[in-house]
């Protein structure tokens, strides 16, 4: 088979690495990819949002399966375009991806169908939102409705802080039209967990549990990022909780989407808070999470390709996913200044030193080549992903590997997995 992966992050590198092991796969292309991916796939210089060129490339190359990494092309209708042209593509349609594209849509569908989530209100008018906030108590959460690269959520300790973020989103439009509406919601307390599942719209197969770390600083402090690290499995997910989440979140959301005439096929990602009153949904994403996917795929024993094909062909009821018992962690090495402004083009040292390390995979995210050297090219630069018999061992292996890597201003969290070790 010929596979095309769309995207250029650590998630796509992990997908390419996993798919490259499939005996069914002869050739992998990645658009646009990065230098890490280029070691196992042919990178094609087409932007993830250039759906026309991606479609023409896939048609011409007779690609057997396209896998979409990021959310933007999903929301722009890449899956619809490929399916109309009879090309196999894994991911939800434009109508179904709205579960991630609009937090207002996600909150309303959860409310309508009784899926547990934080209490909330939606506002289109800043004056009304400001007035409502005056009578709220802190902490409180402010969310921009649309896509904001994982940075559109503010967990505010005071009402003043909440008013400031409201102003940034609705008045200064720091996220553009994504801030035309806001969700103001109750702040939940508890352990966070990401449960991703693959579905063909009928059958739902949950993947192993994972934990993301969205905040920039240790102790989950500071502003949210796209994700600074992950581990799998989550020690907080018991069999009972897993069952509860399937029955009360995954099954009802897929059913609800079908009833709303938005049939869902692809990955459904539920970000959850395990509160004293039970698990509640923080958000849904319509794709593989990043960095969770890096931590998940190194633990997946089964070949991913037949599973994705089964989802596309609506035959997931016959599929099964096996996992290694080991524990994995992924620590993101980021540029100084991320998630705000940061420098690019800084040389990365030590990549050769970590190549031969056992149970270590350095997935590339924001990297590029400059005169033959690999340099930084984004906020999240590398995902150091490791496996161990337990989290403690996976942590030791990861942080030892990180000691061999460097670039100017390299920043990473030191506490990934500490709560599970
Ligand atoms: P989201 O993009 O909606 O998952 O939000 C990003 C992060 O903000 C989550 O991973 C949580 O850490 C935090 N968050 C979002 N909503 C809430 C909430 N209602 N209560 C507490 N924390 C939240
Ligand atoms: N790690 C969070 C996300 O992929 O949105």
């Amino acid at each position: 088979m010929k596979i095309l992966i769309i995207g250029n992050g650590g998630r796509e590198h992990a997908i390419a690495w996993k798919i490259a092991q499939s005996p069914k796969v002869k050739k992998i292309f990645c658009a646009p990819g990065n230098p890490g991916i280029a070691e196992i796939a042919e990178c094609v210089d087409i932007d993830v949002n250039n759906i026309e060129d991606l479609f023409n490339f896939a048609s011409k190359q007779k690609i057997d399966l396209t896998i979409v990494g990021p959310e933007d092309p999903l929301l722009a209708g890449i899956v619809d375009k490929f399916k109309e042209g009879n090309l196999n593509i894994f991911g939800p349609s434009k109508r179904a991806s709205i579960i991630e594209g609009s937090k207002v849509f996600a909150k309303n569908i959860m409310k309508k169908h009784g899926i547990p989530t934080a209490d909330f209100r939606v506002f289109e008018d800043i004056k009304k939102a400001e007035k409502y906030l005056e009578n709220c108590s802190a902490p409180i959460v402010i969310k921009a409705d649309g896509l904001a690269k994982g940075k559109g959520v503010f967990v505010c300790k005071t009402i003043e802080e909440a008013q400031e973020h409201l102003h940034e989103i609705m008045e200064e439009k720091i996220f553009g039209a994504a801030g035309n509406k806001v969700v103001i919601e109750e702040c939940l307390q508890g352990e966070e967990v990401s449960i991703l599942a693959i579905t063909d719209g009928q059958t739902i197969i949950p993947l192993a549990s994972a934990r993301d770390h969205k905040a920039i600083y240790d102790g989950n402090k500071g502003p949210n990022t796209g994700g600074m690290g992950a581990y799998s499995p989550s020690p907080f997910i018991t069999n009972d909780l897993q069952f509860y989440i399937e029955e009360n979140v995954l099954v009802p959301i897929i059913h609800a989407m079908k009833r709303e005439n938005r049939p869902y096929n692809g990955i459904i990602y539920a970000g959850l808070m395990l509160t004293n009153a039970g698990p509640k949904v923080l958000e849904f994403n319509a794709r593989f999470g990043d960095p969770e996917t890096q931590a998940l795929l190194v633990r997946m024993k089964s070949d991913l390709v037949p599973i994705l094909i089964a989802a596309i062909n609506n035959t997931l009821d016959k599929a099964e996913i096996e996992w290694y018992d080991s524990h994995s962690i992924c620590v993101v090495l980021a540029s100084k200044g991320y998630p705000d402004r940061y420098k690019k083009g800084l040389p990365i040292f030590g990549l050769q030193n970590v190549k031969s390390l056992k149970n270590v995979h350095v997935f590339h995210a924001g990297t590029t080549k400059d005169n033959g050297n690999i340099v930084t090219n984004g906020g999240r630069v590398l995902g150091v992903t490791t496996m161990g018999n337990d989290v403690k061992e996976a942590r030791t292996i990861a942080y030892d590997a990180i000691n061999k890597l460097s670039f100017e201003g390299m920043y990473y969290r030191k506490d990934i997995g500490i709560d599970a070790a």
Side-chain angles (χ1 to χ4, degrees):
M1 289 174 75
K2 280 182 171 179
I3 313 266
L4 170 63
I5 299 170
I6 295 172
N8 62 353
R11 163 184 50 209
E12 289 77 14
H13 192 178
I15 294 172
W17 168 84
K18 178 69 186 155
I19 297 263
Q21 293 162 49
S22 171
K24 298 190 185 323
V25 172
K26 288 266 172 317
K27 171 95 187 165
I28 306 174
F29 294 96
C30 188
N34 63 40
I37 296 174
E39 291 177 10
I40 41 177
E42 183 176 330
C43 292
V44 201
D45 191 16
I46 309 176
D47 188 82
V48 299
N49 291 312
N50 188 345
I51 293 180
E52 206 59 40
D53 283 6
L54 289 168
F55 176 79
N56 291 338
F57 176 82
S59 307
K60 197 161 156 228
Q61 287 290 339
K62 299 199 169 48
I63 297 291
D64 299 293
L65 168 65
T66 298
I67 305 163
V68 188
E71 58 277 22
D72 300 83
L74 292 173
L75 277 146
I78 190 168
V79 169
D80 311 65
K81 168 85 183 168
F82 274 52
K83 285 198 169 154
E84 276 160 26
N86 284 322
L87 287 174
N88 269 335
I89 183 162
F90 178 75
S93 66
K94 177 178 172 138
R95 278 181 64 75
S97 316
I98 191 159
I99 193 79
E100 172 163 5
S102 167
K103 292 199 190 289
V104 172
F105 173 87
K107 293 297 290 189
N108 284 333
I109 196 170
M110 284 192 269
K111 188 172 172 191
K112 186 167 164 195
H113 294 267
I115 298 170
T117 189
D119 286 341
F120 70 101
R121 288 277 304 268
V122 174
F123 292 93
E124 284 180 57
D125 175 347
I126 186 167
K127 290 275 164 298
K128 288 189 181 148
E130 282 169 349
K131 203 156 180 12
Y132 172 77
L133 261 182
E134 279 168 19
N135 295 316
C136 290
S137 50
I140 190 131
V141 182
I142 309 284
K143 300 184 171 184
D145 175 40
L147 294 181
K149 304 223 173 299
K151 293 158 205 162
V153 172
F154 300 96
V155 180
C156 308
K157 284 199 203 69
T158 62
I159 297 298
E160 292 69 43
E161 193 187 331
Q163 297 281 20
E164 270 169 39
H165 291 304
L166 189 65
H167 189 83
E168 285 169 5
I169 297 171
M170 298 194 91
E171 202 72 18
E172 291 172 29
K173 295 273 183 210
I174 57 169
F175 305 120
N180 288 352
K181 292 184 194 171
V182 294
V183 173
I184 300 182
E185 76 177 28
E186 169 200 12
C187 186
L188 301 175
Q189 311 289 341
E191 294 294 338
E192 269 190 70
V193 59
S194 305
I195 299 288
L196 283 73
I198 184 164
T199 182
D200 56 13
Q202 302 287 341
T203 304
I204 300 164
I205 308 184
L207 308 187
S209 59
R211 166 72 156 102
D212 186 17
H213 297 74
K214 291 224 172 71
I216 184 81
Y217 302 127
D218 283 16
N220 300 319
K221 303 242 164 46
N224 277 327
T225 68
M228 291 300 293
Y231 62 75
S232 172
S234 162
F236 304 103
I237 291 292
T238 57
N239 284 344
D240 281 356
L241 270 181
Q242 175 78 32
F243 184 71
Y244 180 94
I245 293 164
E246 279 182 53
E247 291 293 300
N248 294 283
V249 175
L250 298 176
V251 172
I253 191 65
I254 297 306
H255 183 66
M257 291 298 278
K258 207 192 304 178
R259 285 186 53 198
E260 304 276 335
N261 194 21
R262 299 176 186 272
Y264 200 98
N265 189 310
I267 293 285
I268 180 82
Y269 162 141
L272 300 151
M273 188 75 91
L274 306 178
T275 73
N276 287 337
K280 294 194 180 184
V281 177
L282 297 171
E283 65 165 347
F284 283 115
N285 292 324
R287 51 172 174 83
F288 284 109
D290 198 5
E292 291 97 319
T293 300
Q294 302 180 49
L296 283 173
L297 290 185
V298 295
R299 291 190 59 225
M300 189 184 280
K301 202 182 208 173
S302 307
D303 185 346
L304 180 60
V305 176
I307 299 164
L308 301 182
I309 297 282
I312 294 173
N313 292 338
N314 301 316
T315 56
L316 264 187
D317 55 333
K318 307 212 172 48
E320 217 179 311
I321 308 183
E322 284 189 276
W323 300 89
Y324 293 112
D325 285 335
S326 49
H327 293 245
S328 60
I329 99 162
C330 168
V331 181
V332 170
L333 308 185
S335 300
K336 183 178 172 197
Y338 176 74
D340 295 324
R341 288 156 59 90
Y342 50 82
K343 279 197 213 161
K344 288 183 181 178
L346 303 167
I348 302 172
F349 302 101
L351 285 167
Q352 285 305 328
N353 303 343
V354 291
K355 276 240 160 82
S356 54
L357 296 179
K358 212 169 150 242
N359 288 327
V360 177
H361 306 278
V362 177
F363 294 123
H364 287 225
T367 67
T368 192
K369 264 202 171 155
D370 181 26
N371 279 328
N373 297 319
I374 296 183
V375 299
T376 65
N377 194 39
R380 295 190 290 176
V381 178
L382 299 167
V384 178
T385 309
T386 64
M387 287 232 279
N389 289 320
D390 52 30
V391 191
K392 209 168 157 202
E393 189 183 39
R395 260 178 66 78
T396 307
I397 298 172
Y399 286 101
D400 282 352
I402 290 170
N403 280 335
K404 301 186 194 315
L405 292 162
S406 65
F407 51 86
E408 190 191 307
M410 181 172 103
Y411 169 77
Y412 57 94
R413 279 182 60 164
K414 317 280 186 301
D415 65 343
I416 306 299
I418 216 160
D419 56 340

